[in-house]
Amino acid sequence: MSSRTNARNTAIAPAALALAFALSANAPAHAGASGSVSLSSDYVFRGVSQTNQEPALQGGIEYASDSGFYVGAWGSNVSWLSDTVVVGDDISSSLELDAYAGYRGKAGERFAYDVGALYYGYPGDYPGGFNSPNTAELYLGATVTPTDTLSLGLKASYALTDLFGYADSDGSAYLDASLNWTFQPTWTLNLHGGKQWIENNEAFEYTDWKVGVTKAFDHGFSIAAAYADTDAEQALYTNAHGNDIAGDAFTLTLSKAF
């Protein structure tokens, strides 16, 4: 997920939410329980490092019914909140725990849609008066698969609460466009572009993009390499350690699906 020096994530205007579509990258192929665990060289969310450009261990589990309804949970180590200070223990938060639920459906053979709600939780200790980073979002999306090897997606997320600690930022939004092309068996090209809007915090808004490739192996293993960047204002995204967490980033991720 995307972080800031003193806040977090992004979004898109309410009117756009009703028109937006999204790629459901984690949609299971069949009903039942599924999950994954991964180790990444950096946790980059919406173009911004959540771990001060350090490794992240992540995992999640989901249950989907035959009707299309699903529920899941996901977690990762993070440091973007505690990285707002170098010395002292005013902020103690090293974990992100997310919960989500929604419905996935299809209209014909080539069009799928997904609608749901997602809650980002950051347990920890915070100083008095600190605006809570916990965030609730609604999302709406769809994918189109023109061929068996190509998928195109759009996804819109809309914040029901203040967005990752930004003051008076409820109503913020994020729009995500994705392309995934399996150009050779087990090899997939991954492209992404996104735009973050933050209500009453326009200086922190930005556009992000990513290009990567994923190699799939037997038994649910995969490895992904990606390069990401943003046009975020460097001074606003430089943390207390002097790192530009919204700058260009190259990541390697090893995953196991089950």
Side-chain angles (χ1 to χ4, degrees):
M1 292 195 294
S2 148
S3 92
R4 303 302 180 106
T5 304
N6 62 350
R8 176 81 155 141
N9 235 344
T10 156
I12 179 175
L17 178 62
L19 301 174
F21 306 99
L23 176 62
S24 302
N26 63 341
H30 52 78
S34 62
S36 67
V37 62
S38 65
L39 178 64
S40 182
S41 61
D42 189 2
Y43 174 15
V44 178
F45 172 71
R46 297 180 182 174
V48 182
S49 175
Q50 308 300 289
T51 52
N52 196 32
Q53 301 164 351
E54 296 293 333
L57 179 63
Q58 305 168 334
I61 190 167
E62 178 181 300
Y63 178 80
S65 68
D66 290 317
S67 64
F69 289 99
Y70 61 89
V71 61
W74 186 89
S76 175
N77 61 287
V78 296
S79 66
W80 64 274
L81 284 157
S82 58
D83 289 336
T84 60
V85 292
V86 174
V87 180
D89 57 355
D90 290 336
I91 299 176
S92 175
S93 175
S94 60
L95 185 64
E96 174 185 331
L97 292 175
D98 303 342
Y100 62 92
Y103 178 81
R104 300 188 185 102
K106 297 187 71 175
E109 292 300 314
R110 298 294 183 181
F111 181 83
Y113 58 89
D114 185 8
V115 60
L118 173 60
Y119 183 80
Y120 305 89
Y122 301 93
D125 297 322
Y126 301 96
F130 189 85
N131 199 30
S132 173
N134 298 335
T135 301
E137 287 187 335
L138 298 177
Y139 56 87
L140 174 65
T143 57
V144 177
T145 52
T147 71
D148 292 339
T149 60
L150 178 66
S151 67
L152 307 170
L154 283 172
K155 180 178 182 179
S157 302
Y158 177 76
L160 299 175
T161 63
D162 282 349
L163 189 72
F164 304 111
Y166 288 105
D168 302 319
S169 60
D170 57 299
S172 298
Y174 185 76
L175 182 63
D176 176 342
S178 302
L179 180 150
N180 293 281
W181 173 42
T182 302
F183 57 91
Q184 289 289 336
T186 73
W187 288 91
T188 302
L189 174 69
N190 314 119
L191 301 179
H192 153 83
K195 174 64 180 181
Q196 171 176 301
W197 291 266
I198 306 176
E199 285 291 306
N200 300 311
N201 293 269
E202 288 78 8
F204 289 91
E205 296 179 350
Y206 63 89
T207 300
D208 70 287
W209 60 271
K210 180 174 71 175
V211 58
V213 64
T214 301
K215 166 65 176 174
F217 299 94
D218 293 337
H219 309 297
F221 286 97
S222 65
I223 188 167
Y227 179 81
D229 202 358
T230 79
D231 65 357
E233 182 66 38
Q234 181 175 349
L236 298 178
Y237 283 85
T238 298
N239 65 19
H241 299 279
N243 293 327
D244 177 12
I245 57 174
D248 60 333
F250 177 78
T251 58
L252 285 173
T253 303
L254 174 65
S255 300
K256 171 67 169 74
F258 56 88

